[in-house]
Amino acid sequence: VSDVIIGTSPLGGIGTSISDAAAADIIEKCVRAGFRDFDTAPLYGLGKAEERLGDGLRRSGKAAQCRVWTKVGRLIRTTENVPDPDDIEEENVPGRGIYVDSPKDMRPVQDYSWNGAFLSYDDSVRRLGENIKICGLRCHDPETKLLESLAVCTGGSLEGLCALRQRHGT
């Protein structure tokens, strides 16, 4: 099973709600079955998938043997902490998006900047919790020409990813 990466968008409640306990059970069963690689993202349930993945890996007792990939490009912020409402990704706001377990007071804020990559990494480390190492990062779905150009420009998230690799080995 070393060639398989388990995707965790269902842990964010994609399409249907899932309890924290059920999410942890799923991850524990994956680890027991020999899976060690997991892909997640801040967008999945506006942080819920990362939190639930971290909890499940710690409950498995084998968190140190597992590898986690996550993504940058969206910061998850409380409604009152969104600097520019124009940066909110409206199609993923709780109640409109596909993640039914998204906390109602959180908003996905698109940020494909160098600084945004660092903020996203730090937030993911916090959400995943103790003893979970992020071994890789990706730029998450810059789906328009504008977002793509923001990611690749000087000071964009791709430069931020390179700097994070140098600093943290991710």
Side-chain angles (χ1 to χ4, degrees), residues 115-128 134 164 167-168:
N115 192 50
F118 272 79
L119 291 170
S120 184
Y121 173 81
D122 289 342
D123 290 347
S124 291
V125 166
R126 180 185 47 75
R127 280 189 295 267
L128 286 161
I134 296 171
L164 281 161
R167 186 175 293 175
H168 298 290

Side-chain angles (χ1 to χ4, degrees), residues 49-87:
E50 287 182 326
E51 291 170 359
R52 290 169 169 169
L53 173 60
D55 289 344
L57 291 175
R58 275 186 296 285
R59 278 183 39 181
S60 78
K62 297 186 185 269
Q65 298 170 23
C66 294
R67 299 184 308 172
V68 173
W69 284 262
T70 192
K71 300 173 185 78
V72 303
R74 291 173 181 90
L75 302 174
I76 309 307
R77 296 291 179 254
T78 58
T79 307
E80 61 272 356
N81 287 319
V82 173
D84 184 348
D86 288 340
D87 292 336

Side-chain angles (χ1 to χ4, degrees), residues 6-119:
I6 301 296
T8 64
S9 63
L11 302 184
I14 189 169
T16 188
S17 187
I18 182 172
S19 71
D20 292 343
D25 287 343
I26 289 167
I27 296 303
E28 283 186 277
K29 287 176 183 173
C30 287
V31 172
R32 244 190 334 266
F35 295 99
R36 296 295 183 266
D37 297 325
F38 298 86
D39 173 80
T40 193
L43 180 64
Y44 303 162
L46 301 186
K48 293 298 285 182
E50 287 182 326
E51 291 170 359
R52 290 169 169 169
L53 173 60
D55 289 344
L57 291 175
R58 275 186 296 285
R59 278 183 39 181
S60 78
K62 297 186 185 269
Q65 298 170 23
C66 294
R67 299 184 308 172
V68 173
W69 284 262
T70 192
K71 300 173 185 78
V72 303
R74 291 173 181 90
L75 302 174
I76 309 307
R77 296 291 179 254
T78 58
T79 307
E80 61 272 356
N81 287 319
V82 173
D84 184 348
D86 288 340
D87 292 336
I88 293 175
E89 187 177 31
E90 290 295 333
E91 59 270 20
N92 284 307
V93 167
R96 292 187 209 146
I98 58 176
Y99 294 99
V100 298
D101 288 345
S102 296
K104 303 301 180 226
D105 64 332
M106 303 305 274
R107 297 292 178 266
V109 178
Q110 293 177 321
D111 189 335
Y112 289 89
S113 70
W114 187 95
N115 192 50
F118 272 79
L119 291 170

